[in-house]
Amino acid sequence: MPMTEQPAAICLMGPTASGKTALALALCEHYPFEIVSVDSALVYRGMDIGTAKPTAEELARAPHHLIDIRDPVEPYSAADFRVDALRLIGEIRARGRIPLLVGGTMLYFKVLREGIADLPAADPQVRADLLAQAGREGWPALHRELERVDPAAAARIHPNHSQRIQRALEVFRLTGTALSELQRAQAEEPALPLFCLALAPVDRALLHRRIAQRFEQMLEQGFIDEVARLRARGDLDPDLPSMRAVGYRQVWNYLDGECERAALLEQGIIATRQLAKRQFTWLRQWSDLNWILTGERQSIVVSHDAKWPEGVAEGAPMLDLALKYLSQVSI
């Protein structure tokens, strides 16, 4: 839908395996875009196959940012992303170009638009204590603890979402204040104006087929060897945020001898489908999205759930609809 003010940036979001990279590169042939990655795994060096990192040829087609900026042993938070993204948006605009934020880490989009509470930095000892407790009792037990000290946070965090449970309990143990209370106390600031495109297959079964095909392809391309090289460094462990990334956790377990290759394939596909489900949940909660719903060949499919601009017919390439949306906003 049209905006009454110039957006700070254009966003292209969507579930994993929806075709965001291909569409972003196509858009760069029509606008002076610079791509800012919105992906919590692409920031890490040496994690290429399992993250479906853009190839050297794709990276050469347009300027890219926030790819390969961290070693896998280093943390990278949503707060880090917001600082980096705001800086890059300003720098790109100063060059007379347009920032195009592309990715599927929905929390990053949220904190960019809405801001983030001033929270304590990660504490290695508290995190180690929580991991040890989880090892003894399981993450559902820690989720029940979170229900006691921060019911609001527990209500929005799934009992199996270990990273978010850990962070919420860490904040409480460091400050004595519930994470949700600190977030409510965040100073009000106007939302950053963003023009957002959402790309997704109209048929969830189609997305599931793409996920399965892509994970199989990753294994054929040497994903297991990639994780083996990372393990061989000796300074990484499966509790690091980088190694918790979907796919990496499953291959790590396979290399530990916990499953056969066939089970690895199944577990990797299931984990990726669960990620896509969480991404769709975020998207359904996002306001003012301009949907691009695609079919088998990435042509657009009309859906009664989407608001369509005039002049774009069903079956047209997804690029046509994206360009039509962008023509309605001053960017």
Side-chain angles (χ1 to χ4, degrees):
M1 66 181 61
M3 293 185 71
T4 58
E5 59 181 324
Q6 183 187 58
I10 306 300
C11 296
L12 173 57
M13 56 181 69
T16 185
S18 59
K20 297 183 294 294
T21 296
L23 179 56
L25 291 172
L27 287 171
C28 288
E29 298 178 4
H30 296 266
Y31 286 92
F33 284 134
E34 294 191 23
I35 296 174
V36 178
S37 172
V38 187
D39 189 298
S40 60
L42 289 182
V43 299
Y44 293 114
R45 294 185 290 272
M47 296 173 56
D48 303 329
I49 297 172
T51 62
K53 192 169 290 180
T55 64
E57 293 76 17
E58 290 171 332
L59 292 171
R61 287 174 58 184
H64 286 70
H65 304 276
L66 300 188
I67 294 177
D68 290 341
I69 63 169
R70 285 284 196 280
D71 186 87
V73 79
E74 299 174 308
Y76 188 78
S77 67
D80 293 328
F81 169 79
R82 188 170 195 270
V83 171
D84 288 341
L86 289 173
R87 171 181 55 80
L88 286 165
I89 288 171
E91 292 173 356
I92 293 168
R93 285 293 188 184
R95 289 193 285 270
R97 299 176 66 83
I98 306 166
L100 175 63
L101 279 67
V102 182
T105 301
M106 303 305 172
L107 176 61
Y108 285 9
F109 284 114
K110 177 179 173 63
V111 301
L112 176 64
R113 184 174 72 170
E114 300 176 8
I116 191 167
D118 185 15
L119 301 176
D123 185 291
Q125 185 57 56
V126 172
R127 292 200 163 189
D129 292 345
L130 287 166
L131 287 172
Q133 182 181 351
R136 295 189 305 271
E137 304 172 15
W139 286 106
L142 269 72
H143 188 268
R144 291 191 292 272
E145 178 181 335
L146 183 61
E147 288 178 331
R148 294 192 296 272
V149 301
D150 190 350
R156 65 174 186 264
I157 298 175
H158 191 278
N160 292 330
H161 203 311
S162 58
Q163 195 165 349
R164 295 184 67 195
I165 295 170
Q166 181 189 53
R167 180 55 176 160
L169 287 173
E170 176 188 34
V171 168
F172 179 77
R173 293 186 183 186
L174 289 172
T175 67
T177 303
L179 172 64
S180 58
E181 185 175 335
L182 292 172
Q183 291 171 332
R184 281 195 300 270
Q186 177 185 347
E188 289 292 331
E189 55 182 285
L192 187 71
L194 301 171
F195 186 81
C196 298
L197 304 172
L199 176 65
V202 70
D203 181 3
R204 196 69 62 91
L206 171 59
L207 181 63
H208 291 171
R209 290 196 297 274
R210 290 182 188 167
I211 286 171
Q213 291 166 0
R214 188 164 79 166
F215 197 80
E216 289 183 47
Q217 185 180 39
M218 287 175 176
L219 293 180
E220 292 169 1
Q221 291 172 339
F223 187 18
I224 294 173
D225 291 338
E226 177 175 275
V227 179
R229 287 192 297 271
L230 291 166
R231 283 168 56 105
R233 290 175 28 157
D235 60 343
L236 301 177
D237 66 70
D239 292 318
L240 284 168
S242 60
M243 295 298 102
R244 290 182 186 175
V246 168
Y248 287 85
R249 180 196 298 269
Q250 288 72 35
V251 174
W252 190 289
N253 292 341
Y254 166 78
L255 292 171
D256 275 341
E258 295 184 10
C259 65
E260 300 295 328
R261 185 184 174 97
L264 164 62
L265 175 61
E266 180 182 7
Q267 292 168 12
I269 291 171
I270 290 172
T272 311
R273 287 172 58 167
Q274 290 170 340
L275 169 63
K277 183 178 179 180
R278 293 194 297 271
Q279 291 168 319
F280 271 113
T281 298
W282 278 95
L283 288 169
R284 285 194 295 269
Q285 297 170 352
W286 193 274
S287 60
D288 298 328
L289 277 182
N290 298 281
W291 283 96
I292 302 171
L293 301 173
T294 61
E296 188 71 45
R297 298 182 179 178
Q298 291 291 51
S299 58
I300 58 176
V301 177
V302 173
S303 167
H304 63 83
D305 294 326
K307 298 177 181 179
W308 285 78
E310 296 180 359
V312 180
E314 181 170 6
M318 61 181 178
L319 176 63
D320 289 5
L321 181 54
L323 291 173
K324 187 68 175 182
Y325 279 131
L326 293 175
S327 71
Q328 299 179 350
V329 61
S330 173
I331 60 176

